Structure formats: structure tokens, C-alpha cells
Amino acid sequence: MDKIQELVAILKERGLTVSTAESCTGGLLGKSITDISGASAVYPGGVISYCNRVKHEILGVDQEILDTLGAVSAPVARQMAEGVRRVLRADLGVGVTGIAGPNGDGTGRPVGLVYIGAASAEGFLVREFRFDGDRDAVRRQSAEAAADLLLELLGQTL
């Protein structure tokens, strides 16, 4: 069973929900979840927050953090996860922000740099990843890593 199927099965079993806040993945994680029959029981929705304005105005990401650290940072991933969880009233939230390529973001940070945050009422996890490959490969690896991080959070806090 792949990680996203495993995640949906565990959420169903526990009666929990998850919402997604996606930047570099552009909705791929939400699509992967909704590809699974019956996922509507655990997935109220997501926000594709591709620009900083949406991260700030919809998800509540601190503007000062966006201005000083940039969108591709651990604090932004955490605040995206917490924000989407709050806005969509889900038990869990996940935030994915990174540089999918093929071009960088102008800061000198490498293509493939991705931060993922997962949040629940009981706690949160944030991880930095360095993925290889083209744009599609980075996006796919990011979605899979987000599912892994949510499974880790489920094992720790719920």
C-alpha cells in the first residue's frame, strides 16, 4: 500500500481529517488524496498557496517571516500547516513549500529544497528535504514526503 493510501486508511480508522496547504506541489498532494475512493470522509480540502499573499492572507503566515526568511523556510511550512488546519477545521494540517525548478528562486538556494510541516492540536513536525530530479520528480517526492510526515505525526501525537 502506498503512503497516501496508508494515510487515508489510518485517518478513516481513527475518524480524523487532514487538510493541505501546498505551494511547490501545486495541489498534487490533495489530488493524490482525492484519487482514493472514500477520501471525502477524511479530506475537507486544501489551499494552493502559490504566492506569499495567499500564504499570509488566507493561511495566516506571518508577513515578517515571509519578508525576512522567504517562503521556502521551516517557519513558513509550519505556519502553513497550522493555518490550513485552522481555516478548514481539520484535525491535521500539512504545509509544503519549496523550489521545484527548473529555475531557482533568485536567492541561491538549490532546486529541490523543500520544507514540509505537519500540525495537529497536540504538536507539529517540520522537516527540510533536498530532492533530486526534474520539476515533476521534486513535486512527486514532496507529496510522498508529506504523507510520510503526517504518518509520523499520527504515530507520535494521536
Side-chain angles (χ1 to χ4, degrees), residues 35-120:
D35 281 347
I36 299 167
S37 179
S40 60
V42 302
Y43 185 68
V47 173
I48 299 173
S49 55
Y50 210 59
C51 73
N52 285 352
R53 182 182 58 76
V54 174
K55 288 176 182 72
H56 174 66
E57 292 179 9
I58 305 296
L59 299 175
V61 174
D62 186 291
Q63 187 64 51
E64 185 176 342
I65 290 174
L66 288 167
D67 292 343
T68 58
L69 298 178
V72 181
S73 64
V76 169
R78 176 184 175 179
Q79 289 185 12
M80 287 172 66
E82 292 170 337
V84 79
R85 182 183 161 281
R86 181 184 63 255
V87 169
L88 297 182
R89 298 181 185 144
D91 298 301
L92 301 169
V94 63
V96 183
T97 184
I99 306 168
N103 302 313
D105 66 353
T107 65
R109 293 178 292 186
V111 169
L113 174 64
V114 176
Y115 291 92
I116 302 173
S120 71

